[in-house]
Amino acid sequence: MAYNFKRQIFGFMDMLRFVKLVPKRREIFAETPATPLPASYKVNETAKFLHPGKQFVKIDKITEHSSDVKTFVFVPDGEKTARLAPFRAGQYITVTANVGASRVTRAYTLGSSPKDALERNFYSVTVKAAGILSDYLCTQAKVGDVLEISEPSGDFCYEPLRDKKNVVAVAGGVGITSLLSMAKAAHEGSEDYDMTFFYCVPSAKEILFKDELDAMVGDRFKVVYVVEKGDLPGCEKGLFSSDLVKKYAKVPFTLFMCGPDGMYAFVRKEIECFSPEIKDVHASPNGIADRKVEEKKTFKLTVKMRDKVYEVPCRNDETLLVAMERAGITAPSKCRAGGCGVCRSKLLSGEYTAAPGRDKRRLADFKFGWIHPCCVYPDSDVSLDVPQG
Ligand code: FES
């Protein structure tokens, strides 16, 4: 009885409130100026700045290190892009360009520092002439050319909650850029760690950015040149080793590596002696190369993309993504290393082999037949549905 009475009282009060609500709203509408809402809000502008998707850049400067290695400085083109997106040291961008009849994409790690983007509005990447797009950049691209690039991506970055305060960085050959960016970030104070940097090269003439590295040496940054053959004053001769780590670095540390896949296996073996203390090891993912095959074959690759169907040849030593790009199909891609999922496509039929250690699909994708064409080689004719193309 009391409960019912309470309900009636509250119901009555709600009705009274509602009756007052309508004139109150009318009052607010009458007082509101008849001006349109803003086209964009601060929060949308910030989101767009942080994640622009595509960016358009002009080549501002090209530095030639050798006949096949060049560093490119990119600035905004000033028309479609005014400010470059900020990034974290260790991240990469993808560059997309038309090369002949193909539209190709390639990922390059950023060698400039986060502050260079934020305060000086430029990125730099270092390119070795190997592969369609890298060859094109090294031989044909010139100052003033405009390129389409992606926003920065990647998780090869220092994480203060996960990683130790001491970082051991091991770089091999041209694969120095992401670690160079991390070294600059530590030196500039935008990231908080101490770095011991082992730069391993076959001979002294292959050392890149020596002046920049030497200029950063101080309390927080140490560089050790490890030269296999030849001589360089003050360098360590031979190969990277656990003894060098004991000599120069503080333990415990987190290891970051950037170089060829063979170097990763070698370095992992060398630091085994620090186990179990050292378990944080991060390797910058490399692009996926052609595979070695005993007998070269060419299969038919059928690609369904939006309302079109393409039939293109695909060699058994190249990935499905490379075959599509070679045939001029604009297939989506980003990391080109099996990890980001941007190229994710539905396998309709066919046999394939994924590049060892590169297949980072979700379990559900394994189960329901989705693949990452950037890391898959054909073993028969293959049919694909590419949903994001
Ligand atoms: S492009 Fe990143 S997984 Fe294929």
Side-chain angles (χ1 to χ4, degrees), residues 168 196 198 222-226 234-236 242-250:
V168 167
T196 307
F198 294 94
K222 203 184 292 173
V223 60
V224 181
Y225 298 102
V226 185
C235 79
E236 291 286 347
S242 55
D243 289 341
L244 289 182
V245 178
K246 286 174 195 156
K247 183 170 168 188
Y248 291 102
K250 284 188 207 139

mmCIF file of all heavy atoms in Angstrom, residues 168 196 198 222-226 234-236 242-250:
data_model
loop_
_atom_site.group_PDB
_atom_site.id
_atom_site.type_symbol
_atom_site.label_atom_id
_atom_site.label_comp_id
_atom_site.label_asym_id
_atom_site.label_seq_id
_atom_site.Cartn_x
_atom_site.Cartn_y
_atom_site.Cartn_z
ATOM 1 N N VAL A 168 70.437 -1.156 -24.406
ATOM 2 C CA VAL A 168 71.547 -1.549 -25.283
ATOM 3 C C VAL A 168 70.975 -1.613 -26.691
ATOM 4 O O VAL A 168 69.983 -2.306 -26.935
ATOM 5 C CB VAL A 168 72.136 -2.914 -24.864
ATOM 6 C CG1 VAL A 168 73.058 -3.465 -25.956
ATOM 7 C CG2 VAL A 168 72.904 -2.772 -23.567
ATOM 8 N N THR A 196 73.478 2.602 -24.653
ATOM 9 C CA THR A 196 74.805 2.189 -25.143
ATOM 10 C C THR A 196 74.571 1.609 -26.531
ATOM 11 O O THR A 196 73.827 0.645 -26.690
ATOM 12 C CB THR A 196 75.433 1.117 -24.228
ATOM 13 O OG1 THR A 196 75.412 1.604 -22.895
ATOM 14 C CG2 THR A 196 76.862 0.809 -24.648
ATOM 15 N N PHE A 198 75.792 -0.034 -29.948
ATOM 16 C CA PHE A 198 76.818 -0.810 -30.670
ATOM 17 C C PHE A 198 76.488 -0.745 -32.157
ATOM 18 O O PHE A 198 75.440 -1.241 -32.576
ATOM 19 C CB PHE A 198 76.833 -2.266 -30.199
ATOM 20 C CG PHE A 198 77.274 -2.428 -28.777
ATOM 21 C CD1 PHE A 198 76.349 -2.476 -27.744
ATOM 22 C CD2 PHE A 198 78.625 -2.505 -28.457
ATOM 23 C CE1 PHE A 198 76.746 -2.603 -26.426
ATOM 24 C CE2 PHE A 198 79.037 -2.636 -27.131
ATOM 25 C CZ PHE A 198 78.092 -2.683 -26.118
ATOM 26 N N LYS A 222 76.321 6.551 -25.284
ATOM 27 C CA LYS A 222 77.672 6.053 -25.551
ATOM 28 C C LYS A 222 77.595 5.300 -26.882
ATOM 29 O O LYS A 222 76.641 4.540 -27.094
ATOM 30 C CB LYS A 222 78.006 5.058 -24.449
ATOM 31 C CG LYS A 222 79.444 4.814 -24.180
ATOM 32 C CD LYS A 222 79.583 3.735 -23.124
ATOM 33 C CE LYS A 222 79.124 4.124 -21.744
ATOM 34 N NZ LYS A 222 79.118 3.008 -20.802
ATOM 35 N N VAL A 223 78.571 5.519 -27.774
ATOM 36 C CA VAL A 223 78.556 4.752 -29.028
ATOM 37 C C VAL A 223 79.835 3.924 -29.131
ATOM 38 O O VAL A 223 80.925 4.410 -28.818
ATOM 39 C CB VAL A 223 78.357 5.672 -30.264
ATOM 40 C CG1 VAL A 223 79.445 6.704 -30.401
ATOM 41 C CG2 VAL A 223 78.239 4.846 -31.553
ATOM 42 N N VAL A 224 79.681 2.669 -29.521
ATOM 43 C CA VAL A 224 80.830 1.775 -29.702
ATOM 44 C C VAL A 224 80.773 1.263 -31.147
ATOM 45 O O VAL A 224 79.791 0.634 -31.541
ATOM 46 C CB VAL A 224 80.754 0.568 -28.729
ATOM 47 C CG1 VAL A 224 81.969 -0.344 -28.907
ATOM 48 C CG2 VAL A 224 80.616 1.032 -27.289
ATOM 49 N N TYR A 225 81.802 1.575 -31.919
ATOM 50 C CA TYR A 225 81.832 1.085 -33.303
ATOM 51 C C TYR A 225 82.493 -0.292 -33.292
ATOM 52 O O TYR A 225 83.609 -0.445 -32.773
ATOM 53 C CB TYR A 225 82.621 2.048 -34.198
ATOM 54 C CG TYR A 225 81.991 3.426 -34.251
ATOM 55 C CD1 TYR A 225 82.505 4.492 -33.510
ATOM 56 C CD2 TYR A 225 80.845 3.646 -35.012
ATOM 57 C CE1 TYR A 225 81.908 5.742 -33.533
ATOM 58 C CE2 TYR A 225 80.233 4.894 -35.041
ATOM 59 C CZ TYR A 225 80.766 5.933 -34.304
ATOM 60 O OH TYR A 225 80.162 7.163 -34.326
ATOM 61 N N VAL A 226 81.798 -1.268 -33.854
ATOM 62 C CA VAL A 226 82.330 -2.633 -33.900
ATOM 63 C C VAL A 226 82.587 -2.947 -35.379
ATOM 64 O O VAL A 226 81.647 -3.117 -36.166
ATOM 65 C CB VAL A 226 81.331 -3.647 -33.297
ATOM 66 C CG1 VAL A 226 81.955 -5.031 -33.233
ATOM 67 C CG2 VAL A 226 80.873 -3.200 -31.911
ATOM 68 N N GLY A 234 89.917 3.819 -32.082
ATOM 69 C CA GLY A 234 88.974 3.717 -30.960
ATOM 70 C C GLY A 234 87.885 2.680 -31.137
ATOM 71 O O GLY A 234 87.045 2.505 -30.255
ATOM 72 N N CYS A 235 87.880 1.986 -32.271
ATOM 73 C CA CYS A 235 86.789 1.022 -32.490
ATOM 74 C C CYS A 235 87.116 -0.336 -31.860
ATOM 75 O O CYS A 235 88.256 -0.594 -31.467
ATOM 76 C CB CYS A 235 86.512 0.838 -33.979
ATOM 77 S SG CYS A 235 87.679 -0.238 -34.790
ATOM 78 N N GLU A 236 86.112 -1.184 -31.761
ATOM 79 C CA GLU A 236 86.318 -2.577 -31.360
ATOM 80 C C GLU A 236 86.388 -3.398 -32.643
ATOM 81 O O GLU A 236 85.532 -3.248 -33.518
ATOM 82 C CB GLU A 236 85.146 -3.071 -30.504
ATOM 83 C CG GLU A 236 85.080 -2.425 -29.142
ATOM 84 C CD GLU A 236 86.152 -2.954 -28.179
ATOM 85 O OE1 GLU A 236 86.780 -3.979 -28.496
ATOM 86 O OE2 GLU A 236 86.355 -2.340 -27.124
ATOM 87 N N SER A 242 79.020 -10.735 -26.221
ATOM 88 C CA SER A 242 78.565 -10.477 -24.845
ATOM 89 C C SER A 242 79.677 -9.783 -24.051
ATOM 90 O O SER A 242 79.408 -8.990 -23.145
ATOM 91 C CB SER A 242 78.168 -11.789 -24.178
ATOM 92 O OG SER A 242 79.238 -12.692 -24.246
ATOM 93 N N ASP A 243 80.957 -10.056 -24.392
ATOM 94 C CA ASP A 243 82.066 -9.393 -23.683
ATOM 95 C C ASP A 243 82.015 -7.877 -23.883
ATOM 96 O O ASP A 243 82.325 -7.111 -22.971
ATOM 97 C CB ASP A 243 83.423 -9.936 -24.170
ATOM 98 C CG ASP A 243 83.644 -11.352 -23.675
ATOM 99 O OD1 ASP A 243 82.961 -11.733 -22.700
ATOM 100 O OD2 ASP A 243 84.464 -12.083 -24.270
ATOM 101 N N LEU A 244 81.631 -7.468 -25.084
ATOM 102 C CA LEU A 244 81.533 -6.020 -25.339
ATOM 103 C C LEU A 244 80.421 -5.410 -24.497
ATOM 104 O O LEU A 244 80.546 -4.302 -23.983
ATOM 105 C CB LEU A 244 81.254 -5.759 -26.832
ATOM 106 C CG LEU A 244 82.402 -6.038 -27.794
ATOM 107 C CD1 LEU A 244 81.986 -5.688 -29.221
ATOM 108 C CD2 LEU A 244 83.635 -5.223 -27.416
ATOM 109 N N VAL A 245 79.339 -6.150 -24.356
ATOM 110 C CA VAL A 245 78.231 -5.640 -23.522
ATOM 111 C C VAL A 245 78.721 -5.491 -22.089
ATOM 112 O O VAL A 245 78.477 -4.462 -21.434
ATOM 113 C CB VAL A 245 77.009 -6.584 -23.596
ATOM 114 C CG1 VAL A 245 75.896 -6.079 -22.689
ATOM 115 C CG2 VAL A 245 76.500 -6.698 -25.031
ATOM 116 N N LYS A 246 79.451 -6.522 -21.590
ATOM 117 C CA LYS A 246 79.948 -6.455 -20.201
ATOM 118 C C LYS A 246 80.907 -5.275 -20.034
ATOM 119 O O LYS A 246 80.945 -4.627 -18.997
ATOM 120 C CB LYS A 246 80.667 -7.759 -19.843
ATOM 121 C CG LYS A 246 79.700 -8.909 -19.609
ATOM 122 C CD LYS A 246 80.444 -10.206 -19.404
ATOM 123 C CE LYS A 246 79.512 -11.395 -19.546
ATOM 124 N NZ LYS A 246 80.194 -12.632 -19.903
ATOM 125 N N LYS A 247 81.691 -5.013 -21.090
ATOM 126 C CA LYS A 247 82.697 -3.955 -21.015
ATOM 127 C C LYS A 247 82.066 -2.555 -21.013
ATOM 128 O O LYS A 247 82.525 -1.666 -20.306
ATOM 129 C CB LYS A 247 83.645 -4.106 -22.219
ATOM 130 C CG LYS A 247 84.792 -3.130 -22.253
ATOM 131 C CD LYS A 247 85.779 -3.535 -23.338
ATOM 132 C CE LYS A 247 86.797 -2.431 -23.596
ATOM 133 N NZ LYS A 247 87.632 -2.737 -24.752
ATOM 134 N N TYR A 248 81.011 -2.354 -21.808
ATOM 135 C CA TYR A 248 80.509 -0.992 -22.009
ATOM 136 C C TYR A 248 79.143 -0.688 -21.390
ATOM 137 O O TYR A 248 78.830 0.468 -21.153
ATOM 138 C CB TYR A 248 80.406 -0.692 -23.513
ATOM 139 C CG TYR A 248 81.739 -0.584 -24.198
ATOM 140 C CD1 TYR A 248 82.235 -1.629 -24.975
ATOM 141 C CD2 TYR A 248 82.508 0.576 -24.072
ATOM 142 C CE1 TYR A 248 83.454 -1.535 -25.606
ATOM 143 C CE2 TYR A 248 83.734 0.685 -24.703
ATOM 144 C CZ TYR A 248 84.211 -0.375 -25.465
ATOM 145 O OH TYR A 248 85.420 -0.270 -26.091
ATOM 146 N N ALA A 249 78.303 -1.713 -21.190
ATOM 147 C CA ALA A 249 76.909 -1.417 -20.810
ATOM 148 C C ALA A 249 76.636 -1.762 -19.355
ATOM 149 O O ALA A 249 77.361 -2.542 -18.740
ATOM 150 C CB ALA A 249 75.948 -2.184 -21.717
ATOM 151 N N LYS A 250 75.579 -1.179 -18.836
ATOM 152 C CA LYS A 250 75.152 -1.501 -17.473
ATOM 153 C C LYS A 250 74.093 -2.583 -17.549
ATOM 154 O O LYS A 250 73.216 -2.549 -18.421
ATOM 155 C CB LYS A 250 74.535 -0.265 -16.811
ATOM 156 C CG LYS A 250 75.554 0.753 -16.372
ATOM 157 C CD LYS A 250 74.835 1.832 -15.545
ATOM 158 C CE LYS A 250 75.587 3.139 -15.651
ATOM 159 N NZ LYS A 250 74.743 4.292 -15.780
#
